[in-house]
Amino acid sequence: MKITLNQDPSFSETEVIINCPQPDEDILRLVAMLRIHQKKLVGILDGERRLLDVKDILYIDTADKRTFLYTGKAVYESALRLYELEDSLRELDFLRAGRSVIVNFRRIQAIRPELGGRLLVTMDNGEQVYVSRQYAGDMKEKLRELERSILR
C-alpha cells in the first residue's frame, strides 16, 4: 500500500481519496475508522454501504466474528471489530455491556437490576440489552456521573 500526504495551505478542506482496484477488508476497515472521526460509521445493509450517524446507533454486538450496528430501523454490518469501535466511541458515551456488546448510553431509557449482579437496559426504542456483572459497575458509575452533573 502506498500512502501519500499532500500538504498545501491553499486547500480549503481535508480530502481523503483511496485509489484501489477492489476494496478489501483492510480498506473497508480503514474507511470505517476515518468515518468515526466525522461521527459517522459505515454500515452494510443488503450489499450497500450506508453512512450512519453515530447518534442513531442504539447498540453494537458481535456474532460469528461479525460486528453489527443496531439502529431503531435496521441492523447493519460493520467492517470494524468491536474493540476498534469501543476505543473510538468511548468519548461519545458508548459503554461496554458485555464481552460482545457495546451500548450507546445516550439512547438508554431505563436501567433495572437483575439477579446475579446483571443489569437490564431498555433502549429508547424498547429493545432490551443485558449488561453483564463484569461491566455493571461501569454502567452504574456512568449513571452516577450523570446524576452528579445534573446537581451542579
Side-chain angles (χ1 to χ4, degrees), residues 16 18 23-44 49-52 54 57 67 69 77-81 84-85 88-89:
V16 177
I18 298 174
D24 62 10
E25 188 174 304
D26 290 336
I27 296 295
L28 295 176
R29 186 172 291 120
L30 177 62
V31 169
M33 289 176 73
L34 289 168
R35 295 276 184 225
I36 286 174
H37 294 288
Q38 295 179 327
K39 298 185 182 171
K40 298 232 185 241
L41 289 175
V42 175
I44 302 166
R49 287 175 181 73
R50 300 177 186 204
L51 294 180
L52 306 173
V54 169
I57 297 170
T67 305
L69 311 170
E77 189 170 351
S78 173
L80 295 173
R81 305 268 189 255
E84 293 170 321
L85 290 165
S88 300
L89 297 173

Side-chain angles (χ1 to χ4, degrees), residues 135-151:
Y135 297 100
D138 295 340
M139 187 71 63
K140 290 176 185 176
E141 178 58 32
K142 186 70 175 173
L143 193 57
R144 282 190 290 274
E145 286 175 19
L146 177 63
E147 289 170 338
R148 283 192 296 263
S149 72
I150 291 172
L151 295 175

Side-chain angles (χ1 to χ4, degrees), residues 123-139:
M123 306 308 290
D124 61 15
N125 73 337
E127 283 192 63
Q128 296 183 319
V129 177
Y130 280 99
V131 178
S132 73
R133 184 178 60 215
Q134 178 182 358
Y135 297 100
D138 295 340
M139 187 71 63

Side-chain angles (χ1 to χ4, degrees), residues 1-13:
M1 181 182 322
K2 181 176 90 173
I3 299 174
T4 305
L5 175 65
N6 296 322
Q7 184 177 345
D8 187 339
S10 68
F11 293 150
S12 60
E13 65 179 320

Side-chain angles (χ1 to χ4, degrees), residues 35-145:
R35 295 276 184 225
I36 286 174
H37 294 288
Q38 295 179 327
K39 298 185 182 171
K40 298 232 185 241
L41 289 175
V42 175
I44 302 166
L45 181 64
D46 298 329
E48 291 182 346
R49 287 175 181 73
R50 300 177 186 204
L51 294 180
L52 306 173
D53 287 327
V54 169
K55 65 179 174 44
D56 294 335
I57 297 170
L58 297 164
Y59 64 96
I60 304 165
D61 82 352
T62 59
D64 299 326
K65 298 183 180 182
R66 295 166 55 196
T67 305
F68 299 94
L69 311 170
Y70 291 78
T71 68
K73 297 179 182 177
V75 179
Y76 300 86
E77 189 170 351
S78 173
L80 295 173
R81 305 268 189 255
L82 194 67
Y83 72 89
E84 293 170 321
L85 290 165
E86 179 184 22
D87 290 343
S88 300
L89 297 173
R90 185 174 289 123
E91 67 187 39
L92 300 176
D93 287 339
F94 280 75
L95 300 173
R96 183 69 83 135
R99 200 177 90 234
S100 63
V101 180
I102 298 171
V103 296
N104 184 347
F105 188 80
R106 295 176 185 199
R107 300 292 303 269
I108 292 175
Q109 179 180 337
I111 301 174
R112 183 176 70 196
E114 290 284 310
L115 292 174
R118 296 187 316 165
L119 299 173
L120 180 62
V121 171
T122 303
M123 306 308 290
D124 61 15
N125 73 337
E127 283 192 63
Q128 296 183 319
V129 177
Y130 280 99
V131 178
S132 73
R133 184 178 60 215
Q134 178 182 358
Y135 297 100
D138 295 340
M139 187 71 63
K140 290 176 185 176
E141 178 58 32
K142 186 70 175 173
L143 193 57
R144 282 190 290 274
E145 286 175 19

